[in-house]
Amino acid sequence: MVRHALALLLVVSLASAAHATVVLVDPGHGGEEHGAIGVLSGARKVMEKDLSLRLARKIQEKLRPHVTVFLTRSLDRTVTLQERADLADKVKADLFISVHFNSSTDQSAHGYETYYLNNSADAAVKKVEKKENLTLQGEELVVNQILIDLVIQQTVQSSRSLAQNVHRELGSHLRPSGLTNRGVKPGLFYVLALSKRPGLLLEAGFVSNPRELKAIQQDEFMERYARGVVSGVLAHLKTKKGL
Ligand SMILES: [Zn+2]
């Protein structure tokens, strides 16, 4: 009887521990800051801020049955990187997931990649960092490198595990869509550093590639992508709790 009660207690506490997990999903850009711009046939413009909000909402909807989940913005409005990070503190987020789409001056660039916070010397990564680290005024935030290194030290292991789990699941969910897997990469993204917790930054495909843009702005792609992220987050949480 006692053993039964203990087992029950264990199940209840594990369930509540799983439920206590808070994930903050961050749709990149917004408001006056539109992010990358792509053009569909018929000269219809597609803005990164709209795609990132749509995808973040899908991720939220599919995460909701499993964890407590918030968005840094649910409307088309301007939010600074610091405000996004402050919200992570306010809701006591365990994980921070920033949602973006990529762009390049090379129209043939294509594929999806997953970043976690760490220093990187890769020139191609530096270009992505530069785009995503800009604020509304185009000024780079002054973030103390010592503080960034401290955050990296505290979060890199967990963030790398999260990124690997999510990217692996994205791989299997996106295979039918034919998108190229560009891998998991370290990158110095201020929004991740400022949030001071394990997290990742998703680059879910290139809006600058007309062929890829046509695919990634479709609901079917967003569904697949969101399902991949959720499977990966759950796999990460499972390994963390040793379940
Ligand atoms: Zn972006």
Side-chain angles (χ1 to χ4, degrees):
M1 187 64 189
V2 172
R3 225 166 70 189
H4 185 75
L6 271 178
L8 190 69
L9 191 70
L10 190 67
V11 169
V12 170
S13 64
L14 284 177
S16 62
H19 217 82
T21 301
V22 178
V23 179
L24 182 59
V25 181
D26 173 46
H29 316 279
E32 292 166 61
E33 198 206 336
H34 48 66
I37 293 187
V39 184
L40 282 170
S41 57
R44 187 161 77 85
K45 278 187 181 169
V46 178
M47 295 184 193
E48 182 188 354
K49 64 173 184 176
D50 298 325
L51 291 179
S52 67
L53 181 56
R54 270 178 64 203
L55 183 52
R57 277 193 179 135
K58 282 216 185 292
I59 295 170
Q60 180 193 34
E61 172 197 307
K62 292 182 196 320
L63 267 178
R64 203 180 267 139
H66 310 284
V67 297
T68 304
V69 52
F70 296 99
L71 293 178
T72 53
R73 66 178 176 94
S74 50
L75 300 167
D76 180 19
R77 66 181 191 91
T78 309
V79 189
T80 68
L81 299 184
Q82 187 61 57
E83 282 167 342
R84 294 167 201 259
D86 290 346
L87 201 64
D89 277 337
K90 202 174 156 193
V91 303
K92 299 187 172 58
D94 297 295
L95 301 176
F96 186 91
I97 297 178
S98 198
V99 182
H100 292 258
F101 287 81
N102 223 333
S103 70
S104 171
T105 47
D106 172 8
Q107 279 205 353
S108 67
H110 62 282
Y112 59 97
E113 53 199 17
T114 303
Y115 286 96
Y116 63 94
L117 181 69
N118 205 349
N119 292 302
S120 170
D122 188 325
V125 171
K126 295 246 169 283
K127 281 187 187 167
V128 183
E129 289 170 358
K130 204 174 165 196
K131 279 191 297 256
E132 306 298 9
N133 286 339
L134 292 179
T135 61
L136 178 62
Q137 288 80 22
E139 296 166 1
E140 285 191 15
L141 285 178
V142 181
V143 183
N144 188 319
Q145 185 62 43
I146 296 168
L147 283 180
I148 292 180
D149 287 342
L150 209 64
V151 175
I152 289 174
Q153 237 178 61
Q154 284 166 353
T155 61
V156 71
Q157 216 179 344
S158 206
S159 295
R160 195 190 290 123
S161 150
L162 174 68
Q164 285 166 346
N165 275 293
V166 166
H167 202 77
R168 186 194 62 239
E169 291 301 317
L170 283 175
S172 48
H173 283 78
L174 293 180
R175 206 162 293 133
S177 71
L179 243 72
T180 301
N181 182 340
R182 295 168 65 98
V184 173
K185 300 174 181 182
L188 207 60
F189 295 98
Y190 291 164
V191 75
L192 295 181
L194 290 167
S195 84
K196 302 188 292 296
R197 62 203 72 228
L200 46 82
L201 187 139
L202 304 164
E203 291 285 356
F206 281 79
V207 299
S208 47
N209 179 324
R211 209 172 131 213
E212 187 149 294
L213 176 61
K214 207 176 152 195
I216 60 181
Q217 52 89 37
Q218 282 172 12
D219 228 42
E220 192 195 337
F221 168 81
M222 299 243 170
E223 281 287 325
R224 283 186 204 285
Y225 196 98
R227 280 205 297 270
V229 172
V230 173
S231 299
V233 167
L234 296 181
H236 167 75
L237 291 174
K238 210 168 166 183
T239 56
K240 261 193 78 190
K241 294 195 170 89
L243 291 175

